[in-house]
Amino acid sequence: MRDTENMEAEMEYDDGEEPSFSDPEDFVDDISDQELLGDVLRDKPQEADGIDSVIVVDNVPQVGPDRLEKLKNVIHKIFSKFGKITNEFYPDADGKTKGYIFLEYSAPSHAHEAVKNADGYKLDKQHTFRVNLFTDFDKYMSICDEWEAPEKQPFKDFGNLRHWLEDPDCRDQYSVIYDSGERTGIFANDVKEPIEVEERARWTETYVRWSPKGTYLATFHQRGIALWGGEKFKQIQRFSHQGVQLIDFSPCERYVVTFSPLMDTKDDPQAIIIWDVLTGQKKRGFHCESSAHWPIFKWSPDGKFFARMTQDTLSIYETPSMGLLDKKSLKINGIKDFSWSPGDNIIAFWVPEDKDIPARVTLMQLPSRNEIRVRNLFNVVDCKLHWQKNGDYLCVKVDRTPKGTQGVVTNFEIFRMREKQVPVDVVEMKEGIIAFAWEPNGSKFAVLHGESPRINASFYHVKNNGKIDLIKMFDKQQANSIFWSPQGQFLVLAGLRSMNGALAFVDTSDCTMMNIAEHYMASDVEWDPTGRYVVTSVSWWSHKVDNAFWLWTFQGRLLQKNNKERFCQLLWRPRPPSLLTQEQIKLIKKDLKKYSKIFEQKDRLSQSKASKELVDKRRGMMEEYRKYRERAMDMYNEQRPLRLELRGGVDTDELDSNVDDWEEETIEFFINEEIIPIGDL
């Protein structure tokens, strides 16, 4: 049809009648030049007077002619990192420099970069640079002397952002994406069946993500990220980042990091953006060459620092300034990987061998940058860093090729972080390692090793006396993944995807196999935050049939089979750390039997055949009777003086109470007489 119209238009034009290109009278052009010619306008020459590439550096050492050349070399080395310097000017008086200098760059963007990164640079104990754009001085001179208070922003009440923690039955929540991503629901976990809390169509375009403490739910959209929370999941914040694909939260939930491959430009880094969650403001943007190892930035446990690794460099930034710690990165030749301790501001990183220099693992304290432990390693092929959840231990999985032998040998180097000088113990394994995982709140770890069909599961205990004992080994396991309960002690050995969903539920306190089960083609295993329940699921994203999620107890007893149409993803809502002290927790454990009776009674009530409506009705009737009885007792007490007056001052209410003063008397009286003839004797 469209081709026919085009042909007709061409025929009309050939006949000599020029088509009209005018807009209708009521046409409104609402497309901006920025949308049409964004890339062209960015390169448009800007009005300038030639000084927008000049910076002023204060607090420069005052030196004479004999030391001037050395000072120039130091300054040039520091500031040439931000761009090409075309002109330098060192004002002097009385044979000495004045303590401030002017530097001109080849482009204004280089000057902006120098101000952003070099301001506050500490040259020595007496000199810390203050760097400003030359064009900013007009702005500083025009600042009004009278301070004006900022306009008050109206308070937005989003309700109780942690309302789900007040559930009387302590039910945890989880998010479910199904219908091939078209629908997203929030459910409260219940033994009988999930209780729907909220459900929306096209809530997200790809997937969802909970914040670390469960306060926010993040959804993905073509134009950016939205955060939801409160009792009705209202929109709390949104961040505009076109084509966003990945997201990461700081542990304190104060910042969120987004990644988009579409927005990056040379002058304005926007591939990675760090946002302030409370205000919605952009804190800083970064370039990104590849997102293959997400997250690019790794956060310290308190959210005060975040770090990034590039070639031969480890850059550590601090919040809220988002600037480099001490204004400079760490030069670490050959750095391969790094990781923060979950419990302390300590970074662990490793460097491979270089000629005669051995590979090494280093533990560095921040912000002091003190190296608290260095471990040299030889004949290293690869290393992996595994922290225990509380930061009590660090396991470095080291793959080696010992001299004179063939094949790879794996050593587990266990760093005891809470002991003086951080001693290291070694566990050697000659079989291939499939999986490794620490017990979250304990000192045990589990290892899957060997090759199918002879895959072994070994459990080790790190003791206080410096020994690591093998507690138990299960042979011939169908497993390729280890999932510890968040509270420790219990775990699931799972054979996901290619192993057809084999499941083994293990109690590591005595290393007993509580149950062996199967969820065919299971792709994911998710523990709830309390460690009472675990979910296995078959995602539509990985397998197109049998999509469902099953709910199990920690002992491996199947409770539910939830077959959601084209089910995609289930994520438990995290819980924030407990506000109870260790002493209070110990006291609760001590009195657990007392609480158990209450819980068992509630469990029996929930499992009874009586419907919830009938139970609620009976409770309502009991409450009405209690209120009626209270009203009757109040009326009875109010009428007491009237009863005394009517009965001549005798308190008849007390007659039944003086039982001890009573005298017992037996009275006999005639009731009836009946004559029965017996017959002739």
Side-chain angles (χ1 to χ4, degrees):
M1 184 68 184
R2 192 175 296 169
D3 293 340
T4 306
E5 292 174 356
N6 292 340
M7 289 174 64
E8 291 175 357
E10 288 176 6
M11 289 172 65
E12 290 176 4
Y13 184 75
D14 291 340
D15 292 341
E17 295 181 10
E18 184 176 348
S20 174
F21 292 98
S22 301
D23 294 325
E25 291 184 4
D26 58 347
F27 176 76
V28 178
D29 186 2
D30 59 351
I31 302 177
S32 66
D33 291 341
Q34 189 65 37
E35 290 183 72
L36 287 173
L37 305 168
D39 52 342
V40 177
L41 291 176
R42 268 196 293 272
D43 298 331
K44 175 184 174 183
Q46 303 293 324
E47 288 187 23
D49 51 11
I51 58 173
D52 53 347
S53 299
V54 179
I55 64 171
V56 183
V57 185
D58 284 303
N59 296 334
V60 177
Q62 295 176 307
V63 298
D66 55 332
R67 297 175 58 198
L68 181 58
E69 196 61 35
K70 183 178 180 181
L71 176 64
K72 286 185 175 181
N73 290 335
V74 172
I75 295 292
H76 192 274
K77 184 178 179 181
I78 294 171
F79 286 89
S80 62
K81 293 186 294 186
F82 311 115
K84 184 181 178 182
I85 299 175
T86 59
N87 196 7
E88 302 177 15
F89 179 57
Y90 288 71
D92 59 6
D94 301 328
K96 291 180 103 178
T97 57
K98 287 188 174 182
Y100 60 88
I101 63 171
F102 299 87
L103 301 176
E104 183 179 2
Y105 284 94
S106 60
S109 60
H110 300 160
H112 283 274
E113 196 71 16
V115 171
K116 187 165 62 175
N117 291 290
D119 184 40
Y121 182 89
K122 193 171 183 179
L123 183 66
D124 53 39
K125 290 182 179 179
Q126 286 80 31
H127 300 93
T128 300
F129 292 155
R130 301 300 301 174
V131 186
N132 293 281
L133 291 170
F134 190 83
T135 52
D136 283 343
F137 279 85
D138 289 337
K139 181 178 70 176
Y140 298 148
M141 294 296 291
S142 61
I143 294 176
C144 182
D145 293 335
E146 295 182 4
W147 179 76
E148 292 184 6
E151 184 181 346
K152 262 190 174 182
Q153 298 296 322
F155 172 71
K156 294 181 180 178
D157 186 7
F158 297 110
N160 183 2
L161 295 181
R162 294 188 171 177
H163 71 284
W164 87 97
L165 299 174
E166 298 177 353
D167 183 83
D169 294 319
C170 301
R171 287 182 288 237
D172 282 289
Q173 293 183 357
Y174 54 80
S175 64
V176 175
I177 298 177
Y178 59 100
D179 199 8
S180 64
E182 287 293 308
R183 306 197 73 82
T184 303
I186 311 297
F187 296 89
N189 180 41
D190 189 80
V191 176
K192 294 178 72 175
E193 61 180 11
I195 301 171
E196 185 178 291
V197 177
E198 192 75 22
E199 196 269 345
R200 297 177 191 175
R202 293 178 291 280
W203 199 351
T204 182
E205 293 181 15
T206 52
Y207 60 101
V208 299
R209 172 85 182 269
W210 292 103
S211 60
K213 297 179 181 179
T215 309
Y216 309 107
L217 177 72
T219 57
F220 289 71
H221 310 273
Q222 181 60 31
R223 294 186 178 182
I225 296 292
L227 297 187
W228 312 79
E231 296 182 23
K232 298 297 181 183
F233 284 93
K234 296 178 182 177
Q235 187 178 111
I236 293 175
Q237 200 61 265
R238 57 183 179 181
F239 310 101
S240 179
H241 198 182
Q242 193 77 16
V244 63
Q245 292 183 356
L246 300 169
I247 187 178
D248 186 40
F249 284 91
S250 65
C252 57
E253 295 187 337
R254 180 67 192 272
Y255 306 102
V256 63
V257 187
T258 58
F259 166 77
S260 170
L262 306 179
M263 299 294 290
D264 211 13
T265 60
K266 185 177 180 182
D267 297 331
D268 185 16
Q270 293 191 59
I272 299 176
I273 299 179
I274 299 181
W275 308 85
D276 188 303
V277 169
L278 298 179
T279 64
Q281 293 180 342
K282 174 183 173 181
K283 301 296 289 185
R284 186 171 176 183
F286 294 87
H287 293 295
C288 180
E289 294 75 25
S290 171
S291 63
H293 300 287
W294 184 261
I296 302 294
F297 290 106
K298 298 179 183 179
W299 290 86
S300 64
D302 56 8
K304 291 183 178 179
F305 305 99
F306 58 99
R308 178 184 189 178
M309 183 184 71
T310 52
Q311 187 174 1
D312 298 334
T313 304
L314 182 62
S315 301
I316 303 167
Y317 301 84
E318 56 186 342
T319 60
S321 68
M322 303 296 161
L324 276 170
L325 180 64
D326 297 334
K327 300 294 179 182
K328 54 187 176 182
S329 299
L330 285 169
K331 188 74 174 177
I332 306 172
N333 291 326
I335 182 171
K336 282 287 187 182
D337 193 16
F338 78 98
S339 182
W340 285 94
S341 163
D344 307 279
N345 286 339
I346 295 174
I347 274 185
F349 62 86
W350 81 276
V351 178
E353 294 178 80
D354 183 17
K355 298 177 182 177
D356 296 331
I357 302 173
R360 70 182 188 278
V361 175
T362 304
L363 298 175
M364 180 182 291
Q365 185 87 43
L366 289 169
S368 65
R369 304 194 185 197
N370 293 331
E371 293 184 354
I372 58 177
R373 186 72 161 88
V374 178
R375 175 79 167 175
N376 292 328
L377 305 167
F378 299 91
N379 306 315
V380 174
V381 177
D382 192 21
C383 283
K384 289 286 185 293
L385 307 173
H386 300 278
W387 284 97
Q388 187 254 10
K389 181 184 173 183
N390 300 326
D392 297 337
Y393 305 98
L394 167 66
C395 172
V396 181
K397 174 181 168 287
V398 184
D399 293 332
R400 286 193 176 97
T401 53
K403 290 182 179 179
T405 62
Q406 292 183 347
V408 176
V409 174
T410 300
N411 281 8
F412 294 117
E413 309 268 340
I414 309 295
F415 291 70
R416 299 170 178 268
M417 299 300 299
R418 304 301 179 199
E419 298 180 27
K420 288 184 178 180
Q421 300 179 343
V422 191
V424 180
D425 302 317
V426 181
V427 176
E428 183 176 314
M429 305 201 75
K430 295 183 179 180
E431 293 182 313
I433 305 301
I434 299 169
F436 172 95
W438 279 105
E439 181 183 20
N441 294 319
S443 55
K444 294 192 282 288
F445 62 87
V447 185
L448 288 176
H449 53 95
E451 293 182 4
S452 185
R454 298 190 61 84
I455 295 176
N456 302 320
S458 297
F459 301 93
Y460 292 86
H461 183 211
V462 182
K463 293 192 171 181
N464 295 328
N465 58 5
K467 291 184 179 180
I468 300 177
D469 289 347
L470 174 63
I471 309 172
K472 182 79 173 180
M473 185 177 77
F474 295 114
D475 58 358
K476 295 183 180 179
Q477 294 298 303
Q478 285 187 303
N480 53 20
S481 305
I482 304 168
F483 297 95
W484 281 94
S485 161
Q487 304 304 321
Q489 184 176 344
F490 305 102
L491 61 77
V492 175
L493 300 174
L496 301 180
R497 295 180 176 87
S498 60
M499 289 193 172
N500 297 330
L503 304 170
F505 296 82
V506 182
D507 181 355
T508 62
S509 62
D510 52 4
C511 284
T512 55
M513 197 78 72
M514 296 183 292
N515 191 26
I516 295 175
E518 180 183 281
H519 186 176
Y520 184 68
M521 294 306 296
S523 57
D524 300 281
V525 175
E526 297 282 348
W527 280 93
D528 85 315
T530 64
R532 293 180 296 172
Y533 304 101
V534 62
V535 164
T536 60
S537 59
V538 181
S539 172
W540 183 81
W541 291 335
S542 60
H543 197 62
K544 300 304 180 187
V545 295
D546 298 330
N547 306 127
F549 64 92
W550 295 1
L551 181 72
W552 312 73
T553 68
F554 68 94
Q555 297 164 319
R557 180 165 57 89
L558 182 61
L559 298 175
Q560 297 172 15
K561 290 184 179 182
N562 295 286
N563 300 309
K564 288 285 185 184
E565 185 71 20
R566 294 192 294 278
F567 162 82
C568 298
Q569 180 198 46
L570 182 146
L571 288 177
W572 288 95
R573 188 173 192 172
R575 283 177 171 262
S578 174
L579 299 177
L580 298 174
T581 63
Q582 289 299 321
E583 289 73 19
Q584 289 173 321
I585 292 173
K586 287 181 180 177
L587 190 62
I588 290 172
K589 287 182 177 180
K590 183 181 177 182
D591 298 336
L592 199 58
K593 288 185 178 179
K594 180 177 70 177
Y595 301 123
S596 295
K597 293 179 181 178
I598 302 172
F599 300 147
E600 287 169 3
Q601 185 179 356
K602 284 188 175 182
D603 289 342
R604 282 195 298 269
L605 185 63
S606 65
Q607 292 171 3
S608 66
K609 294 182 180 179
S611 66
K612 186 176 184 299
E613 290 79 8
L614 183 59
V615 172
D616 291 342
K617 182 180 178 181
R618 289 174 178 172
R619 284 178 179 168
M621 291 172 65
M622 191 66 189
E623 183 65 20
E624 287 179 10
Y625 167 72
R626 185 185 63 78
K627 290 178 180 178
Y628 166 76
R629 191 173 186 278
E630 286 179 358
R631 290 196 303 269
M633 288 298 296
D634 292 340
M635 185 185 297
Y636 178 77
N637 292 329
E638 288 175 5
Q639 293 175 349
R640 187 170 184 273
L642 183 59
R643 288 196 302 275
L644 287 172
E645 183 182 344
L646 291 172
R647 295 168 185 175
V650 178
D651 188 359
T652 56
D653 297 344
E654 301 294 330
L655 289 178
D656 293 343
S657 61
N658 302 322
V659 179
D660 297 337
D661 298 334
W662 291 359
E663 292 183 2
E664 186 176 344
E665 182 179 353
T666 304
I667 300 175
E668 295 182 0
F669 55 91
F670 181 77
I671 298 176
N672 191 14
E673 181 180 357
E674 185 177 356
I675 301 172
I676 302 173
I678 299 175
D680 298 336
L681 296 176

